[in-house]
Amino acid sequence: MVHYCQRNKRRRSVPAVKLSELSFDIIIEILSWLPVVSLLKFKCVCKQWCSLIKEDYKFIAKHMDRASSVQISYKYSWEPNKINTLHYDEYFRCISAFGGLFLEESLTNSQAFRIRNHATRQVLNLPDAHDSAASMNFVFNSSTGECKAAYYFFKYNLGSVGFKVMTVGKDDQWRPMKLPERSGQTVLNRHYFGASNNGDGAAHLVEIIRDGQDLYLEVQSFDLWSECFTTNTLPRGVFSNLSKVSVFRWDHSVAVAEIVNEALNVLVLEDFKEHKWSKSKIIVPLTFLKDGTILKDQIRPRIAWSDVLHLHDAVKENILVYHMKRGMIEATITKCTVNGSSTHKPSLISEAVPELPFDIITEILSWLPVKSLLRFKCVCKKWSSLIKDDYKFIVKHMDRASSLQLFYQHVWEPNKRSTDLLDEKFIYLSGVSGLFLEESLTSRVFRIRNYATKQVLYLPDAHEGTKTMSFVFNSSTGEGKVACIYWKEEGDFGCEVGLKILSIGKDDQWRTLKLPNQNHKSYRCAASQYDGATHLIEIIRDGQDFKLEVQSFDIWSECFTTNTLPRGVFFDLKKVSVINWHQTVAVAGIVEEALQVLVLEDFKEHKWNKIIVPLKFLKDDPDLKEKIRPSLAWSDELRFHNAAENTILVYDMKKGVIKETHTKSTEKKYFFHKPSLVTLKGMKNEY
């Protein structure tokens, strides 16, 4: 690992450049044009985006202003003597709508009401209205997000009326409001008008009251925002007979009307807070009354909107649609049920905006850091599958990723294995595709960790006496395997060896494999991992002679290959050393003033290669020959362990000089590694 670090330091002298981020104002501008379906996914990107999309009502208002209207299908049921019913689904009817929110009433339960956002597919069920609710209504402030709902209810047995209100998100139950008291008076007729968000934001109760021998008309207006009542009385003498007047909606205001001769006389409550009625009556000529086919006593106004006036014909049980400017009946509506569609502004933008092709999205994502991609897994299932399971994308991303710098503690003792601690409890063994195999310092626990994603997979406990653990990973398929070699030494000839393997994500426990030639005991063992294989090197007694045998286990194919060191190369196999020669198994021994090395270049083809390295320093100190043993060769360096002085000699093979001598040490070092998105089955977050 140290050589890996040094090589990377030479190859990469400058740290990775951090990509600059867009300013948040620009991000807001981009997001304000996106469809609702995208923004709902982007809430998962980070807390700042989530807060913006969910709670910033300035952004929500801007987004809604820019939104394309969305078409919604509905079923419209109309009967002249009943409330018109607008069905957006088969169980609820729509009462009113504002800010992309719809207030709906259950068709099967008179106490059940809800507020629904068709764009986000979210529903808020209001507490049951336990009284006989005349009508439910709500108001919504798009700049603050505050919402209130209210309803009047009638107590038929007592002949009285009540009113309840609720602040959505603050109140758990409806709060009763005290209406102005009235004594010694009889209510002859009542009309109720729910709050209109496009109008005054108030609910109005209109009552015709008998006071002694007189009649008067009173409007109790409840402002939902201030929760205050205002009383307005119709000026006396405006209409000759209050028992025959009609109360209806004139645009968004309460109006009182009477048909006199061939015209509709209307008085509008223009401002309930200022007790302001229209200065004079609004006269609407009803030209169709001249021919006498329709009598004025059989019709009553229901609603006036823009230039259209709806009149209920009680005799024929239909609705006359009268155009006030043109002075003509445009349509006659009888009992009907029709399918239709309407458009409304969604609370967040319409889904009509074209999306980027997924190939372009993939290309953009492949350049982003791991930290961002982990958040983007929450955007949608397609993105999650791409980032988690598409190994073509994972390989492309890793190839383009900037290397990350990791610090570690390198602990070295000449008579022990060097230890690289990436944290205080585990040492580093090997790494591939951004995954690190680590071993516990205190137990037989091994784990595979991805530093970029902060995920870890703990392997089943290793066999007692495990000497080496090997890990391979196929970045094109996501398949990973781990193999371990273990043995227990019992004197000079007591090495009984075993091998176990684990397919990650498939095996729950280690599988034991039978090694070739298990009918003998080894004199000495060593193990190593190169070329996707783990190698067991044994010196075996063969009669009076010894032989060196390399059992190579290909982890992918789970097959063994046996290579035997050619006889006669070394005089005494007890004195040879098994070393790492540029990530390859090698056998070496000092002969006179040179190191003779036999390298197993290709274990599958049984190919050995002999190398001779002159050791010039032995001319000056011949006694060193018996004290030193080779341990590692990498690049131009060759390392020897001096057991007598407990040091390591670093020999430069090109220059032929000892350039360093190491003793026991602990130092802080760093290396660069490519981060990856690889997630093995069973991996969990570290914290």
Side-chain angles (χ1 to χ4, degrees):
M1 179 174 174
V2 172
H3 293 286
Y4 174 82
C5 303
Q6 292 171 346
R7 185 178 65 195
N8 274 276
K9 280 192 276 185
R10 291 194 291 269
R11 186 173 63 195
R12 189 181 182 89
S13 57
V14 291
V17 179
K18 186 177 180 181
L19 296 174
S20 58
E21 296 183 356
L22 289 174
S23 68
F24 195 60
D25 289 341
I26 296 176
I27 291 174
I28 291 173
E29 187 66 19
I30 294 170
L31 293 178
S32 69
W33 290 98
L34 297 184
V36 169
V37 67
S38 298
L39 291 177
L40 294 179
K41 295 170 182 175
F42 290 162
K43 288 195 299 183
C44 305
V45 169
C46 63
K47 288 182 179 179
Q48 193 178 29
W49 285 30
C50 182
S51 177
L52 175 77
I53 295 166
K54 283 177 63 179
E55 300 165 3
D56 190 330
Y57 283 94
K58 288 184 179 178
F59 170 79
I60 291 171
K62 176 193 283 190
H63 177 272
M64 190 172 180
D65 183 57
R66 293 175 170 180
S68 300
S69 294
V70 173
Q71 182 171 293
I72 297 179
S73 299
Y74 65 88
K75 182 178 284 187
Y76 181 76
S77 301
W78 183 86
E79 291 187 54
N81 57 345
K82 293 184 179 179
I83 298 173
N84 297 349
T85 306
L86 195 64
H87 304 264
Y88 282 113
D89 71 24
E90 58 184 325
Y91 300 110
F92 282 81
R93 74 178 187 91
C94 179
I95 300 172
S96 61
F98 183 74
L101 300 174
F102 292 77
L103 178 64
E104 299 176 337
E105 178 184 5
S106 172
L107 295 172
T108 57
N109 181 358
S110 61
Q111 297 179 344
F113 294 83
R114 71 183 187 184
I115 297 174
R116 180 157 64 139
N117 186 325
H118 280 266
T120 64
R121 304 192 185 282
Q122 289 180 307
V123 170
L124 173 66
N125 291 305
L126 300 177
D128 284 354
H130 295 294
D131 311 282
S132 300
S135 181
M136 185 77 67
N137 56 93
F138 85 118
V139 289
F140 178 74
N141 188 331
S142 58
S143 62
T144 64
E146 187 179 4
C147 180
K148 287 190 175 186
Y151 70 93
Y152 276 99
F153 61 92
F154 300 122
K155 299 177 181 178
Y156 294 106
N157 57 336
L158 300 176
S160 60
V161 66
F163 190 81
K164 290 188 177 183
V165 69
M166 184 181 77
T167 302
V168 177
K170 293 182 180 179
D171 298 331
D172 296 328
Q173 297 296 328
W174 296 98
R175 292 181 282 113
M177 304 300 296
K178 188 177 180 181
L179 283 92
E181 292 183 1
R182 182 183 296 111
S183 60
Q185 298 168 334
T186 303
V187 178
L188 300 180
N189 204 348
R190 284 193 180 99
H191 301 273
Y192 173 77
F193 298 96
S196 170
N197 281 283
N198 296 322
D200 46 36
H204 306 275
L205 178 67
V206 185
E207 297 177 310
I208 298 175
I209 303 165
R210 182 185 296 278
D211 185 12
Q213 296 300 314
D214 297 327
L215 297 179
Y216 68 93
L217 185 145
E218 192 173 83
V219 182
Q220 296 284 356
S221 301
F222 179 77
D223 187 322
L224 270 70
W225 294 121
S226 65
E227 298 190 7
C228 294
F229 285 96
T230 303
T231 303
N232 285 276
T233 303
L234 182 72
R236 291 179 183 266
V238 175
F239 299 104
S240 58
N241 188 355
L242 287 182
S243 62
K244 292 185 178 182
V245 298
S246 301
V247 181
F248 67 107
R249 278 278 192 190
W250 183 273
D251 288 338
H252 292 292
S253 301
V254 175
V256 182
E258 180 185 20
I259 298 176
V260 179
N261 297 326
E262 296 172 355
L264 183 71
N265 296 346
V266 184
L267 202 65
V268 180
L269 181 58
E270 294 180 343
D271 190 331
F272 73 91
K273 293 179 183 178
E274 299 294 327
H275 308 281
K276 182 182 177 182
W277 294 84
S278 53
K279 291 182 179 180
S280 59
K281 294 178 182 177
I282 300 171
I283 308 298
V284 180
L286 303 178
T287 54
F288 62 88
L289 293 176
K290 291 180 180 179
D291 59 16
T293 55
I294 300 174
L295 303 177
K296 67 177 183 179
D297 292 335
Q298 71 186 60
I299 59 172
R300 282 180 175 266
R302 288 192 59 169
I303 188 170
W305 180 258
S306 187
D307 294 325
V308 176
L309 174 65
H310 284 202
L311 297 156
H312 179 213
D313 186 338
V315 174
K316 296 181 180 179
E317 285 295 329
N318 58 26
I319 288 289
L320 306 177
V321 181
Y322 180 70
H323 196 288
M324 292 183 282
K325 276 193 174 181
R326 296 175 184 171
M328 58 181 289
I329 296 174
E330 292 187 324
T332 301
I333 305 172
T334 57
K335 179 179 179 180
C336 65
T337 299
V338 296
N339 293 321
S341 64
S342 64
T343 57
H344 82 105
K345 284 274 190 175
S347 294
L348 297 171
I349 201 168
S350 155
E351 298 167 50
V353 178
E355 295 184 0
L356 287 174
F358 195 65
D359 289 342
I360 296 177
I361 291 174
T362 302
E363 186 68 17
I364 294 170
L365 294 177
S366 68
W367 290 99
L368 298 183
V370 169
K371 187 177 181 181
S372 299
L373 292 176
L374 293 179
R375 293 172 178 169
F376 290 165
K377 284 196 301 184
C378 304
V379 168
C380 64
K381 288 183 180 179
K382 198 172 184 181
W383 285 30
S384 178
S385 178
L386 176 76
I387 296 166
K388 284 174 59 181
D389 306 322
D390 190 330
Y391 281 94
K392 287 184 180 179
F393 172 79
I394 290 170
V395 171
K396 178 192 282 189
H397 175 269
M398 190 173 179
D399 184 57
R400 293 174 170 180
S402 299
S403 294
L404 297 179
Q405 182 174 285
L406 282 182
F407 289 93
Y408 66 96
Q409 290 284 341
H410 180 75
V411 181
W412 183 86
E413 290 188 60
N415 58 343
K416 292 184 179 180
R417 184 177 66 180
S418 299
T419 305
D420 295 323
L421 288 89
L422 290 174
D423 69 26
E424 58 184 4
K425 296 180 181 179
F426 283 81
I427 63 171
Y428 170 88
L429 297 180
S430 63
V432 59
S433 296
L435 301 173
F436 294 161
L437 177 65
E438 300 175 335
E439 178 184 2
S440 172
L441 291 170
T442 57
S443 64
R444 291 185 290 123
V445 173
F446 291 80
R447 72 183 187 185
I448 297 171
R449 181 154 60 142
N450 186 327
Y451 275 82
T453 63
K454 309 287 186 189
Q455 288 183 307
V456 66
L457 172 67
Y458 285 90
L459 303 176
D461 285 353
H463 194 280
E464 186 178 356
T466 295
K467 301 300 180 182
T468 186
M469 185 80 72
S470 306
F471 170 51
V472 292
F473 180 76
N474 188 333
S475 57
S476 62
T477 64
E479 186 181 5
K481 287 189 174 186
V482 184
C484 70
I485 294 177
Y486 58 92
W487 66 74
K488 186 177 181 181
E489 297 184 13
E490 299 174 354
D492 289 344
F493 290 92
C495 294
E496 293 186 356
V497 185
L499 185 142
K500 292 193 174 187
I501 191 167
L502 178 81
S503 294
I504 297 171
K506 294 181 180 179
D507 299 331
D508 296 327
Q509 298 296 328
W510 295 96
R511 291 182 281 117
T512 302
L513 295 179
K514 186 178 180 181
L515 287 100
N517 304 324
Q518 284 191 315
N519 57 350
H520 64 254
K521 291 187 177 181
S522 306
Y523 171 74
R524 193 169 69 211
C525 289
S528 57
Q529 174 198 337
Y530 315 111
D531 306 321
T534 187
H535 305 273
L536 174 68
I537 302 97
E538 299 177 295
I539 298 175
I540 304 164
R541 184 187 291 276
D542 184 14
Q544 296 300 313
D545 297 326
F546 291 93
K547 66 177 181 179
L548 187 145
E549 201 170 76
V550 182
Q551 297 285 353
S552 301
F553 176 72
D554 188 315
I555 299 175
W556 289 121
S557 65
E558 299 189 11
C559 295
F560 288 94
T561 303
T562 302
N563 285 275
T564 304
L565 184 74
R567 293 180 182 266
V569 178
F570 299 103
F571 177 72
D572 188 357
L573 287 181
K574 294 181 183 180
K575 292 184 177 181
V576 299
S577 301
V578 179
I579 67 171
N580 174 349
W581 185 272
H582 303 286
Q583 299 294 320
T584 309
V585 175
V587 182
I590 298 175
V591 180
E592 297 179 351
E593 295 176 356
L595 182 71
Q596 291 190 16
V597 185
L598 214 61
V599 181
L600 183 58
E601 289 188 341
D602 191 329
F603 72 90
K604 294 179 181 178
E605 299 294 329
H606 309 281
K607 183 179 178 182
W608 294 86
N609 184 35
K610 188 174 182 180
I611 299 171
I612 296 177
V613 181
L615 304 178
K616 298 179 181 180
F617 62 89
L618 291 179
K619 292 181 180 179
D620 301 326
D621 190 356
D623 294 337
L624 273 178
K625 179 179 178 180
E626 301 300 326
K627 299 178 183 178
I628 61 175
R629 278 180 175 268
S631 60
L632 174 71
W634 182 255
S635 188
D636 296 326
E637 291 184 358
L638 177 61
R639 296 194 169 203
F640 292 90
H641 178 213
N642 186 339
E645 299 178 8
N646 208 16
T647 59
I648 288 288
L649 306 179
V650 182
Y651 180 68
D652 190 313
M653 291 184 282
K654 274 194 174 181
K655 296 179 180 178
V657 297
I658 295 174
K659 63 178 186 179
E660 291 178 277
T661 301
H662 292 312
T663 56
K664 180 178 179 180
S665 65
T666 300
E667 54 188 327
K668 191 173 184 179
K669 295 189 176 183
Y670 67 92
F671 72 98
F672 291 98
H673 86 102
K674 283 275 192 176
S676 83
L677 291 163
V678 173
T679 300
L680 300 175
K681 186 177 180 180
M683 269 191 160
K684 297 180 180 179
N685 293 332
E686 287 185 74
Y687 308 109

